[in-house]
């Protein structure tokens, strides 16, 4: 929804006509022609200013926001945020006046549907941990004492689930960059649907056989879950960026919010899973949530709980097959076209590891630390519940406290979505703060565990538990998902995201294995330092893409692909948007705002010439086809121009004056 001023300027651009834009240099000439006798019109100046220096990134003097002194920067950012807030509120109010339910529909279309896959997988994955206490109560000889079931297979339930996710993240990330985003989305939903059917219908001649079937079903389902990570992140990112040559205001100001809003559906999946499990147990256990639990009630509870998301996943297959447009692959197609690649872009992958090796350390390393922390948070729950209700036999308190914890986590998700695009705070600061606060909330009880787990001080322990959950989401859990897609080029974005997420799941595997051998006190001594390691990795290697136009990042990548990294002078190498590691390596040295402005104008001239030549070629080709159809040239030319007005590609071109291409060039080759 563009503001009136923006829409008006856009109309001016569309009326600009076929005359070539004249790019000024500092002296008033026109590089590279240096013709002092021709001057730009005021209309051309406004157009270039609108296209190359939008008012949400540059002040009225044309200075980039990150180049402003700190106080002016704060003033500029706050001004833009206020204007954008007023614009969005006005749009919301107009939408509400036209139809009170329209804002709800807008939220579902733009936030819920893009994250539906993550919501469904969040429901199922966290259901595994929620139903385990029920299995231990209803099937104690199998799940608790391991008398009739192999303990290795009981533990394999967690291991195989994580292994399946790792396989999916790497495999589908590769497929997403090879075949396309849309195909990856459809494939993920299909795998998850089949996995849910296996979970609902899985059985065995013995309870151990059932456990084996259950573990392998989770492995298969996990492959689809793993694919959701790179596919949801990349498609959400590229839908926010748009498909044109010029970036949109929505991308520049709300790209992070769009991706995080999709990701937070994972939190809603956890919430609804816990609610539904509580309701199902009450239904099948005669309205009581207290032990003892019958095998029949446990079977009905967990099977129906898996059947519900199966229905939603079947609908997701339909939606992604018939409603998600092929334009979801547009950014990838454009990137491959520029690189002259038809299949998987192996060259870009090699160059990414060479030029962006520090970023890989950042996204993969911080995700690893985050997942150790994420699973570490679960140890709080068993501790304070065991103190609150010593010797309790009911699973309901654990489920209810988990429900509260998920609610607190959702607050963290939403606050992250609101602040992740704020240029004065943004991704990197949010992640550092989240890691640091989780470190604090683990190390404090770790040093005085007996004190905080005593009945007299359990409230303090509980507060730290909830706060650690809040900062987990309002920090590394959201930022790792966003940054792993945002800091890499389009051609390998899904692969890089999938690789980072897979390394993160190795952190989950580390936690799953370690917690089997570490005592509670040992856990509290070890886990906090993963948070501190996350802070260090984030500060050293993570670039800050808050406020960075992603199409500018693609422009930089075009220079790198062409072997001309030092010739790029734009904002993608501004020190604000680079990591400490990259700045120490001198990556930001070629940054030059004035030189970059000249280059961008010349690139626009080259792109304009290329488009006009394509249109001329298309027109000439159609004319030749008409001429060869009939010997009567005059009649056919007349008929051709009559028909051309009905063609979307040729409409209006019979009167269009095409300027000579002479003199126009693209010396930068971009």
């Amino acid at each position: 929804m563009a503001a009136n001023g923006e829409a008006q300027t856009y109309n001016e651009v569309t009326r600009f006509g076929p005359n070539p834009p004249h790019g000024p240099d500092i002296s008033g000439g026109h590089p590279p022609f240096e013709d002092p006798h021709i001057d730009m019109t005021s209309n051309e100046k406004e157009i270039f200013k609108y296209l190359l220096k939008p008012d949400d990134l540059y002040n009225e003097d044309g200075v980039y926001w990150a180049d402003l002194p700190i106080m002016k920067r704060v003033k500029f950012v706050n001004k833009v945020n206020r204007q954008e807030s007023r614009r969005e509120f006005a749009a919301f109010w107009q939408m509400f006046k036209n139809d009170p339910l329209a804002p709800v529909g807008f939220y579902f279309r733009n936030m819920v549907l893009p994250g539906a896959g993550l919501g469904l997988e969040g429901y199922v994955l966290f259901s595994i941990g929620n139903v385990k206490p029920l299995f231990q109560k209803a099937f104690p000889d199998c799940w608790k004492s391991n008398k009739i079931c192999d303990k290795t297979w009981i533990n394999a339930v967690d291991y195989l689930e994580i292994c399946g996710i790792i396989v999916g993240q790497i495999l589908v990330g590769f497929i997403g960059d090879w075949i396309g985003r849309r195909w990856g989305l459809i494939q993920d939903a299909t795998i998850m649907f089949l996995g849910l059917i296996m979970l609902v219908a899985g059985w065995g001649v013995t309870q151990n056989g059932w456990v084996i079937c259950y573990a392998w079903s989770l492995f298969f389902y996990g492959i689809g879950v793993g694919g959701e990570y790179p596919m949801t992140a990349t498609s959400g990112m590229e839908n926010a960026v748009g498909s044109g040559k010029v970036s949109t205001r929505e991308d520049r100001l709300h790209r992070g919010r769009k991706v995080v809003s999709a990701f937070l559906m994972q939190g809603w999946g956890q919430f609804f899973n816990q609610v539904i499990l509580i309701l199902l147990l009450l239904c099948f256990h005669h309205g009581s949530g207290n032990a003892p639990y019958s095998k029949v009630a446990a079977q009905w509870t967990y099977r129906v709980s898996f059947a519900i998301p199966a229905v939603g996943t079947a609908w997701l297959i339909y939606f992604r097959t018939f409603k998600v447009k092929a334009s979801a692959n547009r950014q990838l197609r454009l990137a491959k076209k520029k690189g002259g690649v038809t299949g998987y872009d192996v060259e870009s992958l090699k160059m990414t590891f060479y030029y962006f090796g520090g970023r890989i350390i950042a996204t993969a390393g911080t995700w690893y630390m985050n997942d150790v922390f994420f699973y570490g948070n679960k140890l709080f729950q068993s501790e304070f519940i065991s103190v609150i209700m010593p010797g309790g036999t009911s699973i309901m308190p654990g489920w209810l406290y988990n429900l509260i914890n998920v609610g607190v986590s959702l607050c963290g998700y939403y606050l992250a979505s609101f602040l992740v695009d704020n240029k004065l705070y943004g991704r990197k600061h949010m992640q550092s703060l989240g890691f640091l606060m989780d470190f604090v909330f683990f190390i404090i009880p770790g040093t005085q565990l007996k004190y905080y787990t005593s009945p007299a001080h359990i409230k303090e322990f509980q507060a730290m538990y909830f706060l650690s959950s809040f900062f987990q989401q309002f920090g590394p859990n959201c930022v790792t998902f966003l940054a792993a897609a945002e800091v890499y080029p389009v051609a390998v974005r899904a692969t890089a995201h999938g690789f980072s997420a897979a390394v993160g799941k190795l952190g989950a595997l580390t936690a799953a294995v370690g917690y089997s051998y570490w005592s509670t006190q040992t856990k509290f001594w070890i886990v906090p330092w993963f948070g501190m390691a996350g802070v260090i990795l984030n500060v050293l290697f993570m670039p800050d893409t808050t406020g960075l136009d992603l199409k500018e990042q693609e422009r930089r990548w075009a220079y790198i692909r062409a072997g001309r990294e030092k010739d790029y002078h734009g904002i993608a190498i501004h020190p604000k948007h680079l990591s400490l590691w990259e700045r120490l390596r001198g990556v930001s040295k070629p940054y030059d705002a004035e030189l970059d402005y000249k280059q961008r104008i010349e690139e626009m001239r080259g792109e304009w010439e290329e488009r006009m030549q394509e249109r001329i070629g298309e027109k000439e080709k159609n004319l030749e086809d008409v001429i060869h159809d009939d010997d009567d040239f005059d009649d056919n030319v007349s008929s051709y121009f009559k028909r051309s007005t009905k063609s979307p590609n040729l409409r209006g071109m019979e009167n269009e004056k095409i300027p000579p291409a002479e003199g126009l060039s693209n010396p930068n080759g971009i």
Side-chain angles (χ1 to χ4, degrees):
M1 293 175 290
N4 292 336
E6 182 177 346
Q8 183 178 358
T9 309
Y10 177 78
N11 290 334
E12 290 177 0
V13 175
T14 58
R15 294 198 303 268
F16 188 43
N19 295 319
H22 302 289
D25 64 3
I26 302 303
S27 63
H30 300 263
F33 314 111
E34 299 296 342
D35 186 353
H37 303 292
I38 305 176
D39 196 13
M40 285 207 318
T41 66
S42 60
N43 189 40
E44 287 174 331
K45 291 179 181 178
E46 288 300 314
I47 290 170
F48 276 121
K49 183 178 179 181
Y50 170 77
L51 293 177
L52 301 182
K53 294 191 174 183
D55 60 3
D56 55 278
L57 293 182
Y58 296 83
N59 70 0
E60 59 273 8
D61 297 323
V63 180
Y64 187 55
W65 69 271
D67 284 324
L68 294 170
I70 184 63
M71 294 310 298
K72 288 186 177 180
R73 184 188 305 180
V74 171
K75 183 178 179 181
F76 172 79
V77 170
N78 288 335
K79 176 185 174 183
V80 171
N81 289 343
R82 285 195 301 269
Q83 291 175 344
E84 186 65 11
S85 297
R86 286 196 294 267
R87 185 190 69 85
E88 287 198 306
F89 181 78
F92 168 82
W93 182 244
Q94 185 62 44
M95 189 187 302
F96 180 80
K97 288 194 297 183
N98 294 337
D99 180 357
L101 293 180
V104 178
F106 178 84
Y107 179 80
F108 269 81
R109 288 191 304 274
N110 293 277
M111 312 297 180
V112 175
L113 288 180
L118 286 172
L120 289 164
E121 64 89 1
Y123 177 106
V124 176
L125 284 190
F126 289 92
S127 180
I128 308 307
N130 291 334
V131 299
K132 190 171 183 178
L134 179 62
F135 291 160
Q136 290 173 338
K137 298 291 184 181
F139 307 95
D141 291 340
C142 176
W143 284 84
K144 195 170 185 179
S145 64
N146 307 129
K147 291 180 181 178
I148 60 175
C149 295
D150 190 336
K151 186 178 181 180
T152 300
W153 279 108
I154 296 293
N155 293 331
V157 169
D158 293 328
Y159 302 158
L160 284 177
E161 172 194 348
I162 295 173
C163 290
I165 295 173
I166 292 173
V167 170
Q169 287 166 337
I170 295 176
L171 178 64
V172 181
F174 174 82
I175 291 174
D177 285 331
W178 177 29
I179 300 177
R181 317 304 194 211
R182 181 173 174 270
W183 172 256
L185 289 168
I186 296 171
Q187 172 187 272
D188 292 336
T190 304
I191 293 174
M192 288 195 296
F193 176 72
L194 295 175
L196 282 168
I197 296 300
M198 294 167 64
L199 286 169
V200 172
W203 195 248
V205 177
T206 63
Q207 287 189 33
N208 193 61
W210 163 55
V211 170
I212 294 173
C213 185
Y214 183 65
W216 282 112
S217 298
L218 283 173
F219 174 82
F220 187 83
Y221 181 82
I223 296 174
V225 170
E228 275 299 302
Y229 281 76
M231 288 301 96
T232 301
T234 53
S235 60
M237 183 80 61
E238 290 159 10
N239 288 338
V241 170
S243 58
K245 293 283 186 183
V246 182
S247 66
T248 65
R249 190 181 186 89
E250 180 73 14
D251 162 47
R252 296 189 297 267
L253 293 178
H254 306 304
R255 182 178 66 246
R257 184 179 70 182
K258 189 178 182 72
V259 176
V260 173
S261 294
F263 181 63
L264 68 80
M265 288 304 298
Q266 187 182 70
W268 280 112
Q270 299 174 48
F271 180 85
F272 284 115
N273 168 252
Q274 193 64 86
V275 170
I276 289 173
L277 278 175
I278 291 172
L279 294 177
L280 289 176
L281 184 60
L282 292 175
C283 290
F284 295 121
H285 197 51
H286 312 296
S288 171
N290 297 322
Y293 304 102
S294 69
K295 292 180 174 58
V296 174
Q299 289 279 348
W300 276 104
T301 298
Y302 101 86
R303 291 183 190 275
V304 173
S305 73
F306 285 145
I308 292 173
V311 175
T313 308
W315 174 85
L316 191 63
I317 297 172
Y318 158 78
F319 178 81
R320 290 178 172 179
T321 303
F322 297 102
K323 301 298 182 181
V324 174
K325 299 178 181 178
S327 59
N329 298 322
R330 181 176 176 81
Q331 289 291 322
L332 181 64
R333 287 201 305 269
L334 289 174
K336 287 187 175 183
K337 182 179 179 182
K338 288 179 181 178
V341 178
T342 55
Y344 187 84
D345 196 344
V346 178
E347 185 64 24
S348 285
L349 184 63
K350 293 178 181 177
M351 296 177 74
T352 297
F353 274 88
Y354 179 78
Y355 287 98
F356 293 160
R359 299 187 176 197
I360 292 171
I361 294 173
T363 58
T366 55
W367 208 325
Y368 178 90
M369 304 306 167
N370 172 67
D371 271 22
V372 174
F373 243 79
F374 187 79
Y375 279 78
N377 182 270
K378 299 303 178 184
L379 69 93
F380 275 102
Q381 182 170 306
S382 60
E383 284 298 315
F384 80 76
I385 290 176
S386 64
V387 174
I388 292 173
M389 298 188 67
T393 57
S394 176
I395 63 172
M396 276 297 177
W399 281 4
L400 291 172
Y401 275 111
N402 185 55
L403 190 61
I404 297 172
N405 188 41
V406 174
V408 172
S409 297
L410 279 170
C411 294
Y413 278 116
Y414 276 100
L415 188 58
S417 70
F418 283 122
L419 293 180
V420 73
D421 288 310
N422 189 299
K423 297 182 180 69
L424 302 178
Y425 186 56
R427 290 98 157 114
K428 188 165 184 173
H429 295 310
M430 184 183 294
Q431 177 148 277
S432 292
L433 180 65
F435 270 128
L436 186 61
M437 295 306 293
D438 275 347
F439 169 79
V440 170
F441 291 129
F442 272 71
I443 201 69
I444 291 175
T447 56
Q448 299 290 333
L449 188 61
K450 290 184 179 180
Y451 175 82
Y452 285 107
T453 54
S454 64
H457 300 282
I458 192 62
K459 296 298 182 183
E460 293 97 315
F461 190 86
Q462 186 175 345
M464 287 186 285
Y465 165 61
F466 288 138
L467 286 171
S468 69
S469 295
F470 174 84
F471 281 101
Q472 180 78 29
Q473 313 311 327
F474 182 55
N477 204 36
C478 287
V479 176
T480 48
F481 182 82
L482 171 62
E486 199 172 39
V487 302
Y488 299 111
V490 171
V492 294
R493 180 170 287 157
T495 303
H497 188 281
F499 174 79
S500 301
V503 174
K505 279 297 172 285
L506 289 177
L509 197 60
T510 300
V513 173
Y515 293 172
S516 300
Y517 300 98
W518 302 336
S519 67
T520 301
Q521 180 64 71
T522 302
K523 295 172 187 175
F524 276 98
W525 278 122
I526 293 177
V527 170
W529 299 104
F530 284 92
M532 183 56 67
V535 174
I536 295 171
L537 287 174
N538 190 59
V539 170
L540 287 178
F541 296 107
M542 184 69 77
D544 190 356
T545 47
T546 307
L548 174 64
D549 184 343
L550 275 197
K551 294 212 168 174
E552 188 65 21
Q553 184 166 278
E554 284 303 303
R555 180 169 162 258
R556 179 199 173 194
W557 182 249
Y559 276 87
I560 292 175
R561 282 277 298 178
R564 301 173 53 211
E565 180 190 14
K566 298 300 182 182
D567 293 336
Y568 174 77
H569 308 288
I571 59 175
I573 57 170
H574 191 286
K576 169 66 179 177
H577 301 305
L578 297 176
S579 66
L580 177 60
W581 170 254
E582 289 171 325
R583 294 198 298 272
L584 291 175
R585 292 177 58 240
V587 175
S588 63
K589 287 182 179 179
Y591 175 69
D592 187 322
E594 292 183 359
L595 184 57
D596 180 62
Y597 184 66
K598 295 179 183 180
Q599 284 183 329
R600 292 169 73 190
I601 290 176
E602 289 308 315
E603 289 164 17
M604 287 184 65
R605 292 164 67 90
E607 289 172 359
W608 179 90
E609 179 197 11
E610 182 180 345
R611 288 197 297 271
M612 296 310 300
Q613 290 294 339
E614 288 176 355
R615 295 178 71 183
I616 292 172
E618 182 180 358
K619 184 175 179 179
E620 290 176 348
K621 182 179 183 302
N622 288 335
L623 183 60
E624 289 176 1
D625 291 341
V626 173
I627 292 172
H628 292 317
D629 283 344
D630 199 291
D631 292 334
D632 192 346
F633 175 78
D634 292 333
D635 289 344
N636 275 285
V637 169
S638 175
S639 174
Y640 161 73
F641 280 120
K642 288 180 182 178
R643 291 198 306 272
S644 70
T645 59
K646 300 178 183 179
S647 168
N649 294 324
L650 304 172
R651 192 179 294 122
M653 286 187 64
E654 69 275 15
N655 296 320
E656 184 174 309
K657 296 180 181 179
I658 306 299
E662 213 173 292
L664 292 176
S665 64
N666 184 12
N668 293 300
I670 304 298

